[in-house]
Amino acid sequence: GDPCEVLKGRSWWKCHVVGKDVNSLEIQYDGLSKRRFTEDVSSERIRQVDPDKEAEMNLTDGMVVDGYSNFLVKLLEEGLDILLKHKVTHVSVQDADAAAARGRRACNVAVQQQGDDGVWRQGQEMEADFVVVTLPLGVLKKSVPKHPDKHPDKSGVRFSPMLPLEKQEAIRSLGMGTENKVVLRFK
């Protein structure tokens, strides 16, 4: 159906119109479930979404049901090559001009691929103009030495050249804890 957004509380929720009636719309909220909802929606509470303007991501609070693959990954994957069941083992960055002179790109990323049997195997190497690193803190902590004079844990991601000392120190100083989020729904 046609993409749209419905105002629920103070947030705009992405959805698709799957049916129309004189006084109501049948809509399916994106990423929530396969269920359809029939709602009386006034013109102030609904707006049509231009597919060409989808780059303006709505990052307001919402419910994630059925995992992030239905929510974040599908939103971001358009036009990108996203590899699932892969893990990064090495990120190498070199001077962009020197790389271009050799006909190469500035960044090289090595990955391993998880087979159907759960065993990690050597994957592929990819080149890119830049790399956005969004590793969990635990992986980042394994990727920097516990002390500036030591070597990083071999199970972490290797960076070449190593991350700057101030970034290593920032990663070492960050702590991890338990966080719980409780959602109460009142009818």
Side-chain angles (χ1 to χ4, degrees):
D2 297 327
C4 63
E5 292 179 325
V6 172
L7 183 62
K8 296 190 103 13
R10 293 184 296 164
S11 300
W12 288 94
W13 289 60
K14 292 191 179 300
C15 58
H16 284 79
V17 176
V18 292
K20 296 180 183 179
D21 192 39
V22 177
N23 295 324
S24 64
L25 293 175
E26 188 177 2
I27 55 177
Q28 181 174 337
Y29 289 101
D30 294 358
L32 289 181
S33 68
K34 303 287 187 256
R35 292 187 306 158
R36 296 179 175 186
F37 301 86
T38 302
E39 295 189 10
D40 294 329
V41 181
S42 64
S43 59
E44 308 91 34
R45 289 186 47 232
I46 190 165
R47 63 185 180 196
Q48 197 170 11
V49 175
D50 181 357
D52 295 333
K53 293 186 180 179
E54 279 295 310
E56 301 172 337
M57 291 192 297
N58 182 1
L59 298 177
T60 58
D61 284 346
M63 291 175 46
V64 177
V65 178
D66 298 327
Y68 283 102
S69 65
N70 288 338
F71 170 65
L72 188 58
V73 173
K74 287 183 181 173
L75 182 66
L76 295 175
E77 74 184 353
E78 190 170 318
L80 298 177
D81 186 15
I82 294 182
L83 302 174
L84 301 176
K85 293 191 176 185
H86 284 70
K87 69 178 178 180
V88 174
T89 58
H90 186 214
V91 176
S92 173
V93 179
Q94 55 188 310
D95 179 77
D97 293 333
R102 292 192 319 269
R104 307 289 306 257
R105 296 172 117 176
C107 302
N108 187 293
V109 179
V111 298
Q112 288 182 336
Q113 183 174 4
Q114 186 179 29
D116 293 333
D117 56 2
V119 176
W120 290 99
R121 293 178 178 79
Q122 195 57 39
Q124 57 193 20
E125 289 196 13
M126 296 170 275
E127 289 188 347
D129 294 321
F130 60 90
V131 175
V132 177
V133 177
T134 59
L135 297 170
L137 182 57
V139 175
L140 278 174
K141 283 185 170 288
K142 289 181 179 182
S143 302
V144 299
K146 291 185 176 158
H147 188 274
D149 299 334
K150 305 274 184 189
H151 293 289
D153 188 322
K154 292 197 184 304
S155 65
V157 175
R158 288 184 305 129
F159 289 96
S160 299
M162 287 184 68
L163 294 174
L165 290 176
E166 61 272 5
K167 292 201 186 314
Q168 292 182 38
E169 186 56 39
I171 291 168
R172 276 193 291 275
S173 67
L174 286 172
M176 293 187 284
T178 303
E179 181 180 326
N180 294 315
K181 189 173 191 177
V182 177
V183 177
L184 302 174
R185 177 183 263 171
F186 298 96
K187 291 186 178 191

